[in-house]
């Protein structure tokens, strides 16, 4: 674990196994400097346990940065459940996961992520109180709409900074991934007058989005090379690499996926190519803002809305600092997050700070 590429001074990492339900996976707590570590639970079919460990380490660090930049009194953590091929998750599995969270005694607070539904989180909550994003008074606790809203506002900030436009009318956005967040984002972009190019492995979802929003569908292999004003990665992470960046035909990358950069060097590659990058954990913080504040201060919807609106302001300031210092946006954001967490700022980030 300590030699894993995703390890970054994590406070704790727990492996869990429940043979009765088939539950296997990891919880990683990156930092509790600002408060209990909060981050979603992801269910995914990993190649092996090593891949799952790398994912949970990288995602938990991203949650520390995300919560710090969003100004939340929360640290960063994450959980991943390893799904076996052709084996769906079940209620017993999520109840067992709730027992895992409960044993951590509040150091980690869980919520929804990829492959997990609000109903699954309700199952988790039967075994632990340390759950965010639950329904309240008949209102869904699904954080996806707030995540999508934050991404939409971030796209607007990026368009203003890079293209000098205040509106999205007539601009083209290529959306990769049409899960809950991707679909909500398409709806917001369509209402704002943007043209959409979309791709997803689920053909039925693609057809639905095209019918509802007049989107143009392309296959998943070609979405990266589409000529557009914005590329919005909303699927899984690691999409931006030396190879894929060379294929981009956009001036802006701004989307909802976590860990979009395969490495910090890829942020530099985007910067050198003249592509404005909205750091993922800044632009996609709407969901954790909703879940986190819903957990800490239930019922204060006005505060949630104000904090989500702040994503646009935060990104505008970050873009200005990047342009002024001529430092990639990902390094600016990393330096700010690490300072707020009280972590050492790496030498490569000192200029950004």
């Amino acid at each position: 674990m300590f030699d894993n590429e995703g390890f970054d001074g994590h406070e704790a990492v727990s492996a869990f196994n429940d043979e009765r339900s088939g539950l296997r996976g990891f919880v990683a707590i990156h930092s509790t400097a600002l408060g209990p570590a909060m981050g979603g639970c992801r269910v995914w079919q990993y190649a092996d346990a090593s891949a799952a460990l790398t994912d949970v380490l990288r995602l938990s660090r991203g949650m520390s940065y995300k919560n710090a930049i969003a100004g939340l009194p929360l640290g960063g953590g994450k959980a991943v459940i390893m799904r076996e091929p052709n084996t769906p998750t079940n209620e017993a599995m999520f109840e067992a996961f709730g027992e895992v969270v409960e044993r951590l005694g509040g150091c980690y607070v869980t919520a929804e992520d990829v492959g997990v539904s609000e109903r699954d989180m309700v199952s988790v909550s039967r075994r632990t109180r340390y759950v965010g994003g639950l329904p309240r008074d008949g209102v869904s606790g699904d954080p996806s709409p707030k995540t999508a809203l934050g991404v939409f506002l971030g796209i607007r900030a990026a368009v203003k900074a890079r293209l000098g436009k205040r509106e999205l009318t007539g601009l083209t956005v290529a959306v990769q991934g049409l899960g809950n967040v991707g679909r909500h984002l398409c709806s917001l972009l369509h209402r704002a007058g943007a043209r959409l190019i979309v791709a997803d492995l689920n053909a039925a979802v693609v057809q639905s989005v095209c019918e509802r929003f007049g989107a143009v569908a392309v296959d998943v292999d070609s979405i990266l090379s589409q000529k557009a004003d914005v590329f919005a990665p909303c699927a899984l992470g690691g999409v931006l690499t030396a190879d894929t960046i060379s294929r981009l035909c956009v001036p802006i990358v701004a989307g909802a996926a976590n860990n979009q950069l395969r490495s910090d060097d890829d942020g530099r590659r985007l910067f050198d190519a003249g592509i404005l990058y909205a750091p993922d954990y800044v632009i996609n913080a709407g969901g954790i803002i909703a879940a986190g504040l819903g957990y800490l201060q239930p019922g204060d919807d006005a505060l949630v809305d104000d904090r989500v609106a702040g994503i646009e302001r935060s990104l505008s300031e970050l873009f200005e600092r990047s342009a002024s210092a001529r430092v990639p946006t990902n390094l600016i954001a990393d330096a700010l997050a690490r300072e707020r967490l009280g972590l050492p700022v790496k030498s490569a980030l000192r200029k950004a700070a």
Side-chain angles (χ1 to χ4, degrees):
M1 180 189 71
F2 298 109
D3 295 328
N4 187 289
E5 65 177 278
F7 185 76
D8 180 47
H10 285 68
E11 293 180 11
V13 180
S14 302
F16 52 82
N17 178 62
D18 182 73
E19 293 185 1
R20 181 184 53 188
S21 66
L23 177 74
R24 293 174 67 233
F26 298 96
V27 173
I29 296 173
H30 178 256
S31 172
T32 57
L34 300 179
M38 187 172 189
C41 172
R42 171 172 295 190
V43 173
W44 194 251
Q45 184 177 320
Y46 292 97
D48 51 35
S50 178
L53 177 60
T54 300
D55 201 30
V56 79
L57 291 172
R58 296 190 73 207
L59 289 167
S60 57
R61 181 184 65 177
M63 289 307 306
S64 286
Y65 289 8
K66 183 183 300 189
N67 292 337
I69 293 292
L72 297 173
L74 294 166
K78 204 78 174 185
V80 299
I81 294 174
M82 295 182 286
R83 184 173 65 82
E84 297 298 324
N86 304 314
T87 304
T89 55
N90 55 66
E91 189 173 337
M93 186 178 291
F94 285 105
E95 289 186 355
F97 175 66
E99 293 171 3
V100 170
V101 174
E102 182 64 23
R103 286 197 295 271
L104 294 173
C107 293
Y108 168 65
V109 181
T110 195
E112 292 175 47
D113 197 62
V114 174
V116 178
S117 69
E118 185 176 79
R119 185 171 65 179
D120 296 330
M121 282 294 108
V122 171
S123 297
V124 174
S125 71
R126 296 192 190 108
R127 297 291 186 266
T128 184
R129 77 199 103 160
Y130 304 118
V131 184
L134 294 172
R136 188 186 76 249
D137 300 329
V139 178
S140 172
D142 178 11
S144 300
K146 296 299 185 185
T147 303
L149 175 59
V151 174
F152 171 79
L153 295 174
I155 289 175
R156 200 162 67 179
V159 164
K160 182 180 178 182
R162 181 67 173 81
L163 305 179
K165 296 180 180 291
R166 294 183 176 273
E167 304 295 334
L168 304 185
T169 304
L171 298 184
T172 300
V173 182
V175 180
Q176 179 194 48
L178 299 174
N180 288 340
V181 175
R183 294 196 303 275
H184 282 298
L185 178 61
C186 285
S187 176
L188 293 169
L189 291 168
H190 175 69
R191 276 188 276 171
R195 295 188 293 262
L196 298 171
I197 302 172
V198 299
D200 192 277
L201 292 172
N202 189 323
V205 170
V206 171
Q207 182 178 350
S208 173
V209 168
C210 289
E211 291 173 352
R212 291 176 62 195
F213 307 126
V216 174
V218 298
D219 63 69
V220 293
D221 293 327
S222 65
I223 187 70
L224 281 152
S225 56
Q226 296 299 308
K227 187 174 182 180
D229 297 291
V230 181
F231 171 57
C234 297
L236 293 179
V239 68
L240 297 171
T241 66
D243 174 60
T244 59
I245 290 169
S246 69
R247 295 164 53 194
L248 292 174
C249 298
V250 295
I252 296 167
V253 172
N258 287 312
N259 293 330
Q260 294 169 28
L261 302 176
R262 187 64 187 85
S263 72
D264 286 344
D265 291 340
D266 296 312
R268 168 61 68 179
R269 290 186 179 97
L270 288 168
F271 185 80
D272 290 344
I275 298 172
L276 181 61
Y277 171 62
D280 46 29
Y281 58 80
V282 182
I283 193 172
N284 69 11
I288 195 61
I289 290 171
L293 292 178
Y295 174 78
L296 295 167
Q297 297 174 242
D300 197 342
D301 296 334
L303 178 60
V304 171
D305 291 340
D306 180 66
R307 289 293 185 88
V308 173
I311 291 173
E312 185 170 10
R313 296 190 295 271
S314 295
L315 280 169
S316 294
E317 293 169 3
L318 190 151
F319 295 150
E320 288 177 7
R321 288 187 64 169
S322 173
S324 175
R326 296 204 52 78
V327 173
T329 54
N330 63 303
L331 297 185
I332 296 280
D334 286 359
L336 288 172
R338 294 186 72 84
E339 283 186 341
R340 292 181 185 181
L341 290 164
L343 296 173
V345 177
K346 301 173 184 177
S347 58
L349 306 182
R350 285 184 186 136
K351 182 181 177 182

